[in-house]
Amino acid sequence: KNSSTVDFIKQWQQKASKDLLVVERLTESEIIAASAVCFHCQQAVEKLLKAFLIANDVDVRKTHNIEFLLSECSDIDKDFTDIDPKELSDFGVDARYPGDMYIPDEKETLEYKKLAQEIKELVDNKIDKILKTI
């Protein structure tokens, strides 16, 4: 991997971290804007999974589908196999617009926050190992 690929991977990770920073702020003392929290959880997970795929030399398709990205990651590493994304994909791009938007409750919102944080830890550790070998 050349330095521009490494920089690109790190940029994906940094963008995901910013999404999770928003999640932290919106859940600090009470949950503010639950659907926005879940949107940023979805965005963080999408970016992290794409960073992992890029780190493994996989061409990333333009998709917001977390299940698809998880299955691509599972093909490379079985640690991704048992991750249950629940309905996380539903909070992606389509959720930015009014209409049939689902508003998650507090318990669900915190589950998505935890899921996003766990995926961040998993992906960051795996990417660190990959980048150490180059």
Side-chain angles (χ1 to χ4, degrees), residues 29 48 58-59 61 68 85 92 96 133:
S29 51
L48 288 161
V58 175
D59 284 335
R61 290 217 330 238
F68 173 77
R96 290 186 294 191
T133 63

Side-chain angles (χ1 to χ4, degrees), residues 20 48 115-126:
L20 289 174
L48 288 161
L115 175 69
Q117 289 168 330
E118 286 170 357
I119 290 174
K120 179 179 174 18
E121 199 176 323
L122 176 69
V123 168
D124 285 352
N125 287 334
K126 294 197 177 283

Side-chain angles (χ1 to χ4, degrees), residues 24-43:
E24 274 307 316
R25 289 285 186 271
L26 294 179
T27 56
E28 258 169 358
S29 51
E30 58 180 315
I31 293 176
I32 303 162
S35 56
V37 171
C38 293
F39 169 73
H40 284 285
C41 289
Q42 187 280 338
Q43 288 291 291

